[in-house]
Amino acid sequence: MRSTKLFLSAFVVSTMISAGANAATTFVYCSEGSPEGFDSALYTAGTTFDASSRNIYNRLVEFEPGTTNTIPGLAETWSVSDDGLEYTFNLRDGVQFHTTDYFTPTRNLNADDVVFSFKRQLDKEHPWNQYTAGTSWEYFNAMSMPDLLKDIVKIDDSTVKFVLNRPEAPMIANLGMDFASILSKEYADQLEAAGNKEDLNQKPIGTGPFKFQDYQKDAVIRYQAHEPYWRGKAAIENLIFAITPDASVRQQRLAAGECQFNPYPNPADLDAIRADANLKLPEQEGLNVGYLAYNTKVAPFDDPKVRKALNMAINKQAILDAVFQGAGKAAKNPIPPTIWSYNDAIQDDPYDPAAAKQMLADAGVSDLKMKIWAMPVQRPYNPNARRMAELIQADFKEVGVDVEIVSYEWGEYLKRSKDLDRDGAVLLGWTGDNGDPDNFLAVLLGCDAVGGSNRAQWCNEEFDALVQKAKIVSDPAERTKLYEEAQEVFKREAPWATIAHSVVFKAMNNNVEGFKIDPFGGHAFHGVDLKQ
Amino acid sequence: MLFYYFKRFGVLIPTFLGVTVASFAFIRLLPGDPVLLMAGERGLTPERHAELLKQFGFDRPLWEQYLDYFLGIFQGDLGNSLVTKKPVLDEFFTLFPATLELSLCAIIFAMAFGISAGVVAAVKRGTWFDQSLMGTALIGYSMPIFWWGLLLIILFSGTLHWTPVSGRISLIYFFPQVTGFMLIDSLLSGQKGAFSSALSHLILPTIVLGTIPLAVIARQTRSAMLEVLGEDYVRTARAKGLPPRRVVGLHALRNALIPVITTIGLQVGVLLAGAILTETIFSWPGIGKWMVDSIFRRDYPSVQGGLLLIALIVMIVNLIVDLLYGLVNPKIRHTGG
C-alpha cells in the first residue's frame, strides 16, 4: 500500500512540475464535446463553432466581444446602396493565413477567398458544393441565404460586392455568423489538386488568432497562436481543448488544475465553485428564450383574453426555483435583454390566479381541458420541460383548467408541433443566431413562419407590418423603435407565455483574465491571458 | 476435432447475417428522423427535408438501403458518418485501440483479483473472510458504474490527489499516435514521464470497468473451486499427503478454470457495454462514447457500422473461447460440443 501510494504520488508530482513549466503560455479549456469537423459552414452546433470558427477563422463582420453589436472584421469598411440591394465590402490589407506543416500561403487574404467561401455554399454547381459526403450547408440555408443572395462579385482584389434579391437589414449580422467564416481559396486549390478535398474539414486554415495543430478524436485538440494575427498575437501561446463530456468530471478537472475553464458547470456545483477560493464564476443572461406557445388558431386560445388569463396563472418564480435552480431569469418579452431594442418599459403580466380565474369566466371559458407539450430533451432555455409542464399543470388547476401533459421523441416533437391544428400548447424555446431582433421576432412570430417555426400559429397584421418594415429599414434607431412597438403588440396579444431566459455561468480559474461571456454562447480565446 | 471446429465456424455465418439485419434495423426502429434532428428548433421546409433525405439515400426502399449496406460490408465500406462526414470504418478503428487498451487492462485486473479472491474464498469456505469477500463481490456486481466512477474520482483525484481526473495522458505530452495504444505510444515517444503518465491515467478507469467482471469471475471461481475440491481426485491428492498449496493450485484450480474461461469470454460483451459509461466518465476517447453520441444523433451509418463491428468482435472472442474450451476439455471436442 505504502509503495503504491509513493508510486502514485510520484506521477502527480512529476505531472505538476512539468505542468507548471508550461503554465505560462498554455491554456487548457475543458470542452464539453467533440467538434463534428472544422469547416464551420457545414454545421450548426456551438461545440463545433468553438473549435473552428471562433478561434481559427474570421468573418467580414464580427461581433464585438461580449455584445451582439457588429464591428468590422476582415472587411475594414462597407457601404450599402440606396435601394438596400448591394453591399460593398472593402477588405483589410495585409491579413495573413495560417502557416502550418500542411500549408504555406503565398499570398494574403483577397477577394477570391471571400467569393470562394460563399459561392461554395450558394452555387450548387460549384466544385466545392459537395466536397465531402452529405454536405448540406444547413445554417446558410436556415438563414434563407440562397433566397436572399443573388450574387457575390469580386470588384478588385480588395473589394467584394454582395448583390441581394431583396433588401434585408439583418444581412450585416448574418455575415458575422459562423457559416460566413472566410477560408483560403489558395489552400482549397492546393487540396483539390492533391485530391484531398476532405482535408478542408479536417485540417483547417484560417486567418484567426489560433492555428490548428492536431486533433485526437474525442480526446484533445491543440492550437498555437498565429504570430502575424491582424488584431495582434494572442497572449495564449498554446490553446488546448481537453474534451470532457461529463459535467461533474469537468468540474473535478477544473478544481484539480487539469484545465482552467469549464464552459458548462452543473447547476448543482455552483455553490461549491463559489466557495472555492481558486475559482471564479461570472454569469450573464443567455441569448435565448423559453416559452409556452398556445395554438392561436384553435378555440378558446384564439381569444387573447384567454391567453392573457392563462399567462397570469403561471407562477414563474416557482419555475425559476424548481427548474432553473437559480440559473434563469423571468422573461417578459420574446427577445432576451442582451439584444438591442429589448423593451424594458414593458410590464410583465402579474401572477394573480384569482384575477386569472375571473378573466377566464368573463371570456366565457369554463371546465377547460387542454394539453401541454413537454419537450423530451434538455435545452439551455429549458433544462427540464417535464418538470416545467407539471408546475404549469398545477398552476392551471388552480384556475380550473385541466391539463394533460404529452410528449414525443424530439424529432417528432419538432415536426408535430408545427401542425396548424395542433392540439395543445407547446413548451419550446430559441437561441439567437445573429443577435438581431429579427432573428427572434420574424422567425418565431412572423406570419410567414406560421406552420413552421411560429409554433403559436399567430399571424397578427399589426405586429407583422412592424417586423417586416424593420427588415428593410437600415437606420438602427428606426429599427429599434419598430421592434419596441412590436414587443408591445406581442405583450398585448399574448400568443405565448414567455417563461424564462437561462443564465449562463462560466467556471474558471482565478488567474484567467480577459474572458468576456459571449451572448451567442461561444468561447473565443483571443484577448484571454493567464495571470502569473 | 475437425468437425467440432467446422461446426463452430458454420454457426458464425447465420449469426453474422442476423447481426447485419439487427444492426441495420435497430437504429431505424428508434423513433426520430436524422434530418429533423440535425435541423433542431430551426427546422426546415418540407422541400429541403425531402432534398436532404434524398441526398442521404433515406428516401429509398428499406431493402435497397439494406442491400447497399450489406454489399458495402464486403468491400470494407460501411458508409460515411452523417455528422463528421468521415468513413465509419476509419472512425471506428481510430477509436478502437483506446477501448481495447482499457478493456484488456480491465480484464487482466478482473482476472488477477477475481480468480485469487474466488480461490481464497473457496478454500476458506464459510469463514467470515469468505462471506465478506462474496458480499463485496455482490456489491461490486450491483454497483452503478457511473456512480462508482465519480466516487473514485472524487476520492482519489479530488481529495487525495493520487491519480489524474480523466483523459488518457497528461496534456503536456504531445506525440503522434503510432499504434493507438497509449502505453505503447508513450514508450515509443521517448518523452520522459509519458509512460508513467499514461499508466496513472489508466488506473481508475481500469478499476471501474473491471469491477463487474471481477465480481462475476470471483463468484464463478469460488463455485467451480468448491465443486472441484469435493472431487475424488482432490481427496486422493490430499490423502497422498500433497501440500495443500499444491492440491489447490495444481490439481483443483486447473480443472476449476474451465468454466471460468467461459465466464471470462462472456465478459467481453459486458466490458464493451461498460465501456460506454466508463469512457464517458473518464473522457476516454473510445468506441463506447462514440456509439452513444451516434445513437443520440441518429447517425445511421455510424450506429449500424459500429454495432456490426462490435458484434463481430464479440463473436470472434467467443469463438476463440469455444475453441480454447475444446482444447482444454477433451470431452467437448470428442462429443462434438
Side-chain angles (χ1 to χ4, degrees):
Chain A
M1 182 66 196
R2 191 180 149 76
S3 61
T4 314
K5 191 172 168 179
L6 279 174
F7 178 61
L8 294 172
S9 304
F11 288 140
V12 177
V13 171
S14 68
T15 308
M16 283 165 77
I17 290 170
S18 351
N22 285 270
T25 54
T26 300
F27 181 84
V28 183
Y29 168 72
C30 265
S31 69
E32 75 289 0
S34 308
E36 298 145 302
F38 292 91
D39 181 354
S40 48
L42 297 176
Y43 304 104
T44 57
T47 306
T48 301
F49 296 156
D50 285 344
S52 57
S53 42
R54 287 163 184 161
N55 290 296
I56 294 177
Y57 300 114
N58 289 118
R59 288 141 294 280
L60 292 176
V61 179
E62 305 210 327
F63 295 104
E64 185 186 344
T67 75
T68 56
N69 305 329
T70 46
I71 54 169
L74 294 178
E76 208 160 17
T77 56
W78 58 84
S79 58
V80 186
S81 64
D82 289 342
D83 58 4
L85 292 176
E86 288 185 359
Y87 285 67
T88 307
F89 293 90
N90 302 306
L91 303 183
R92 202 172 284 279
D93 273 342
V95 174
Q96 294 186 30
F97 280 101
H98 301 154
T99 300
T100 63
D101 53 5
Y102 52 89
F103 178 66
T104 306
T106 60
R107 63 163 175 82
N108 288 343
L109 169 92
N110 69 24
D112 291 332
D113 301 311
V114 179
V115 173
F116 165 76
S117 301
F118 285 92
K119 273 280 179 76
R120 67 194 188 121
Q121 304 185 60
L122 179 67
D123 177 5
K124 289 198 168 153
E125 304 305 317
H126 192 277
W128 284 83
N129 185 261
Q130 290 297 315
Y131 80 93
T132 182
T135 306
S136 63
W137 313 113
E138 245 1 87
Y139 233 136
F140 185 80
N141 281 290
M143 300 308 290
S144 304
M145 297 300 275
D147 301 332
L148 187 60
L149 280 182
K150 191 172 185 183
D151 203 3
I152 301 136
V153 187
K154 172 183 173 179
I155 305 293
D156 57 44
D157 265 359
S158 57
T159 318
V160 188
K161 188 162 75 178
F162 283 65
V163 185
L164 272 53
N165 285 317
R166 57 169 194 272
E168 173 94 351
M171 176 67 186
I172 290 294
N174 285 355
L175 293 182
M177 289 174 62
D178 302 271
F179 73 81
S181 296
I182 304 302
L183 279 66
S184 162
K185 176 163 192 306
E186 187 190 5
Y187 177 52
D189 289 344
Q190 184 183 304
L191 290 176
E192 191 171 3
N196 288 335
K197 278 184 166 184
E198 285 81 8
D199 275 1
L200 194 70
N201 190 28
Q202 311 301 337
K203 293 177 171 176
I205 292 290
T207 55
F210 295 96
K211 58 182 179 184
F212 176 83
Q213 192 183 10
D214 184 65
Y215 173 40
Q216 287 173 19
K217 189 171 166 54
D218 291 350
V220 55
I221 317 170
R222 290 170 194 273
Y223 307 88
Q224 282 179 321
H226 176 41
E227 293 266 353
Y229 182 50
W230 57 274
R231 277 197 177 111
K233 189 188 164 206
I236 297 169
E237 183 69 39
N238 300 301
L239 173 64
I240 300 179
F241 278 34
I243 298 165
T244 314
D246 184 76
S248 307
V249 177
R250 273 202 303 276
Q251 194 45 43
Q252 290 292 330
R253 291 189 94 165
L254 177 67
E258 286 183 18
C259 63
Q260 282 91 38
F261 197 107
N262 172 7
Y264 303 103
N266 248 338
D269 289 332
L270 297 180
D271 285 339
I273 299 168
R274 288 191 188 101
D276 191 327
N278 294 319
L279 305 179
K280 58 183 173 184
L281 188 72
E283 61 175 81
Q284 192 186 60
E285 276 144 75
L287 194 74
N288 58 44
V289 62
Y291 59 80
L292 176 74
Y294 304 104
N295 187 348
T296 59
K297 291 226 178 297
V298 174
F301 307 102
D302 54 348
D303 181 353
K305 287 194 223 77
V306 174
R307 303 194 295 256
K308 198 83 173 167
L310 290 173
N311 284 1
M312 287 169 64
I314 297 174
N315 182 354
K316 284 188 198 171
Q317 193 52 49
I319 291 176
L320 293 177
D321 293 343
V323 178
F324 288 87
Q325 296 174 35
K329 292 236 164 87
K332 60 180 182 182
N333 289 328
I335 61 173
T338 37
I339 285 196
W340 57 270
S341 85
Y342 177 80
N343 191 339
D344 209 13
I346 284 176
Q347 293 293 314
D348 201 6
D349 303 315
Y351 168 55
D352 190 344
K357 204 168 181 176
Q358 187 56 49
M359 282 166 74
L360 283 174
D362 293 348
V365 173
S366 59
D367 296 326
L368 178 61
K369 288 186 172 47
M370 67 181 288
K371 285 181 181 155
I372 287 184
W373 293 35
M375 299 141 47
V377 293
Q378 197 181 19
R379 298 310 253 192
Y381 51 76
N382 192 341
N384 189 342
R386 168 66 64 167
R387 182 94 188 92
M388 191 184 280
E390 286 166 359
L391 290 169
I392 297 174
Q393 184 183 40
D395 288 340
F396 283 6
K397 201 175 170 63
E398 290 280 305
V399 296
V401 176
D402 256 358
V403 170
E404 183 194 343
I405 299 172
V406 294
S407 190
Y408 300 95
E409 181 278 329
W410 186 221
E412 275 301 295
Y413 188 97
L414 291 167
K415 191 167 128 192
R416 292 189 190 202
S417 57
K418 288 180 186 168
D419 292 347
L420 288 176
D421 56 352
R422 181 195 70 227
D423 180 15
V426 168
L427 280 174
L428 206 63
W430 185 256
T431 301
D433 299 306
N434 59 9
D436 197 286
D438 178 81
N439 183 239
F440 280 77
L441 300 177
V443 172
L444 304 177
L445 294 156
C447 288
D448 288 347
V450 168
S453 51
N454 184 343
R455 262 38 182 223
Q457 320 295 5
W458 181 66
C459 178
N460 178 289
E461 279 177 21
E462 188 184 356
F463 178 91
D464 207 52
L466 289 164
V467 172
Q468 290 305 325
K469 191 172 174 201
K471 249 186 199 294
I472 49 174
V473 171
S474 48
D475 175 28
E478 200 180 333
R479 290 188 73 203
T480 301
K481 210 165 155 287
L482 292 164
Y483 287 131
E484 282 175 349
E485 259 182 74
Q487 289 169 73
E488 282 168 19
V489 178
F490 169 87
K491 201 69 200 171
R492 191 185 70 221
E493 296 290 320
W496 299 347
T498 47
I499 311 275
H501 310 291
S502 73
V503 173
V504 176
F505 292 92
K506 303 290 163 192
M508 62 191 88
N509 201 296
N510 267 336
N511 65 354
V512 177
E513 284 183 333
F515 182 81
K516 289 189 178 147
I517 299 184
D518 176 7
F520 299 103
H523 299 90
F525 297 106
H526 183 254
V528 174
D529 198 359
L530 290 177
K531 193 166 55 187
Q532 294 303 307
Chain B
M1 180 78 180
L2 214 56
F3 176 69
Y4 169 71
Y5 288 149
F6 272 127
K7 201 175 159 187
R8 274 284 166 265
F9 279 113
V11 171
L12 283 186
I13 296 167
T15 316
F16 171 75
L17 289 176
V19 164
T20 60
V21 175
S23 57
F24 177 83
F26 163 73
I27 187 70
R28 284 167 175 81
L29 286 174
L30 287 181
D33 173 334
V35 172
L36 286 180
L37 283 178
M38 224 156 58
E41 288 94 331
R42 263 162 213 97
L44 68 188
T45 60
E47 300 79 50
R48 180 84 189 133
H49 185 218
E51 195 184 326
L52 285 176
L53 283 180
K54 190 167 177 225
Q55 189 178 339
F56 294 129
F58 298 145
D59 61 333
R60 292 155 54 212
L62 275 182
W63 67 266
E64 259 185 45
Q65 293 183 44
Y66 172 75
L67 208 64
D68 248 17
Y69 162 60
F70 186 76
L71 295 177
I73 295 171
F74 296 99
Q75 295 157 1
D77 177 15
L78 294 177
N80 284 46
S81 159
L82 297 183
V83 176
T84 63
K85 327 285 184 200
K86 285 166 125 182
V88 171
L89 211 60
D90 289 0
E91 296 256 286
F92 185 90
F93 283 109
T94 307
L95 298 170
F96 184 62
T99 303
L100 185 61
E101 185 174 46
L102 177 58
S103 302
L104 280 176
C105 289
I107 200 73
I108 291 169
F109 162 77
M111 278 163 61
F113 287 90
I115 293 175
S116 331
V119 170
V120 176
V123 172
K124 299 200 180 280
R125 182 189 186 180
T127 62
W128 65 269
F129 186 80
D130 172 29
Q131 281 165 3
S132 55
L133 214 58
M134 286 306 108
T136 313
L138 187 66
I139 295 173
Y141 187 70
S142 337
M143 197 89 79
I145 289 187
F146 217 88
W147 178 82
W148 178 224
L150 280 180
L151 197 76
L152 290 184
I153 289 179
I154 291 169
L155 179 66
F156 290 106
S157 312
T159 312
L160 298 171
H161 302 293
W162 288 1
T163 53
V165 179
S166 74
R168 286 182 84 189
I169 192 165
S170 168
L171 294 165
I172 57 168
Y173 299 107
F174 176 38
F175 44 79
Q177 288 199 16
V178 183
T179 63
F181 295 92
M182 195 55 87
L183 288 177
I184 300 174
D185 286 352
S186 59
L187 276 178
L188 293 178
S189 77
Q191 292 186 22
K192 205 178 156 204
F195 179 76
S196 60
S197 174
L199 201 60
S200 69
H201 280 79
L202 258 169
I203 295 172
L204 291 189
T206 295
I207 294 174
V208 170
L209 186 58
T211 299
I212 290 178
L214 189 157
V216 174
I217 292 171
R219 290 173 68 83
Q220 178 65 47
T221 309
R222 179 181 176 272
S223 67
M225 276 298 283
L226 285 179
E227 205 180 312
V228 172
L229 286 174
E231 296 281 339
D232 288 346
Y233 66 89
V234 173
R235 221 170 321 150
T236 311
R238 278 197 174 126
K240 274 164 65 185
L242 285 177
R245 209 169 264 229
R246 213 173 144 78
V247 174
V248 172
L250 197 72
H251 294 272
L253 184 58
R254 271 178 69 171
N255 287 297
L257 277 184
I258 295 171
V260 176
I261 292 177
T262 314
T263 310
I264 293 169
L266 292 173
Q267 293 311 302
V268 175
V270 177
L271 282 176
L272 289 174
I276 292 173
L277 291 174
T278 314
E279 287 176 2
T280 304
I281 305 168
F282 291 98
S283 323
W284 197 267
I287 52 167
K289 208 191 133 292
W290 172 72
M291 281 299 290
V292 176
D293 286 348
S294 305
I295 292 170
F296 278 129
R297 287 165 163 163
R298 300 291 188 277
D299 186 349
Y300 286 6
S302 295
V303 176
Q304 67 195 21
L307 276 179
L308 176 78
L309 291 167
I310 291 172
L312 280 180
I313 289 163
V314 173
M315 277 162 59
I316 291 167
V317 171
N318 277 305
L319 175 76
I320 293 170
V321 168
D322 274 359
L323 299 182
L324 272 181
Y325 204 44
L327 279 180
V328 176
N329 191 346
K331 247 191 332 193
I332 291 172
R333 59 177 186 256
H334 289 318
T335 56

